[in-house]
Amino acid sequence: MASRADAPLSSMATPAAHRPDIAWPPSIQRADITGIILAGGLGRRMSADGQGVDKGLERFRGRPMAAHAIERLTPQVGPIAINANRNADQWAAFGLPVFRDRLPDFAGPLAGLQAAMAFASTPWVMTVPCDSPFLPADLVVRLAQAAADGDAQLAVARTGDQPHPVFALVKRSLEPDLAAFLASGRRRIDAWYAPLRVVEVNFADEQAFVNLNTADELRQFDPDRAE
């Protein structure tokens, strides 16, 4: 069962590794964490014809949307990489390692997490979606602090009563467990982590975790975007 910790913040803070008053726990340091941009989805809701687009490559405030997530996550982790299942050349242009899901057919964020755990060499991986350009500047250190304090295997962000399981700090040693879960045909993130030692960390700013899933949402947050 998940436990909870409160962690108020503002998504408008200048991107930084962490606020000066928040220290990394001795057992989990920044270098112990591989940051993963999850960009392996179909993006059907973003496309007019429902066939899907590579959301992270869509323009947002003058840059590919994923560039905003990368910029905010990079100071908070050690290595960083991208999980993407198409347009490999375009993703490689970000100058980061790119890897695909190990499962076929766009199997969802858990498939991306499992591939990330197999790819990484650090004790922890930190996942964020490519379509969340406002992620908190102190996201990772707060999750690490809560995971260390609670001896958790996984730390998940939440706002109010809403967990955000794709914003997660996960022990890489859980990869065999996740691989077995996926092999059974199950795909729900919360069903996978329910029996694990999980801590949820509350963040006050809901906008920090906004996912831009549709063209209308892109225009809402980027008024200069062309129709």
Side-chain angles (χ1 to χ4, degrees), residues 36-221:
I36 303 295
I37 304 294
L38 293 175
L42 277 171
R44 285 196 178 101
R45 294 174 59 193
M46 185 72 72
S47 62
D49 60 6
Q51 295 302 304
V53 298
D54 218 339
K55 282 193 295 184
L57 300 176
E58 290 292 295
R59 304 296 290 182
F60 179 73
R61 298 185 181 179
R63 295 186 291 166
M65 182 157 49
H68 299 271
I70 292 169
E71 180 180 65
R72 283 186 169 261
L73 184 61
T74 296
Q76 304 187 52
V77 296
I80 187 167
I82 299 168
N83 165 236
N85 292 316
R86 51 188 165 171
N87 300 315
D89 290 345
Q90 293 182 61
W91 285 109
F94 286 94
L96 300 172
V98 180
F99 61 91
R100 298 175 60 90
D101 292 351
R102 293 190 158 196
L103 297 179
D105 303 325
F106 298 89
L110 270 186
L113 173 58
Q114 189 263 332
M117 295 162 83
F119 168 85
S121 58
T122 55
W124 296 83
V125 297
M126 175 72 214
T127 62
V128 301
C130 66
D131 59 356
S132 293
F134 310 123
L135 65 92
D138 53 2
L139 171 66
V140 184
V141 70
R142 288 187 178 277
L143 293 182
Q145 192 175 62
D149 290 347
D151 188 28
Q153 297 166 295
L154 189 148
V156 175
R158 68 175 174 88
T159 52
D161 292 327
Q162 178 62 55
H164 302 282
V166 289
F167 294 86
L169 178 67
V170 186
K171 268 196 169 180
R172 188 171 62 88
S173 59
L174 291 171
E175 192 273 333
D177 181 86
L178 178 53
F181 180 89
L182 291 168
S184 73
R186 291 173 289 175
R187 297 290 183 266
R188 287 186 54 180
I189 297 179
D190 54 351
W192 171 62
Y193 71 63
L196 303 176
R197 297 193 308 275
V198 182
V199 60
E200 293 182 352
V201 182
N202 186 55
F203 292 86
D205 191 345
E206 293 185 4
Q207 183 173 302
F209 298 93
V210 164
N211 297 115
L212 303 184
N213 288 309
T214 68
D216 285 342
E217 289 170 348
L218 278 179
R219 287 188 287 269
Q220 177 186 347
F221 287 92

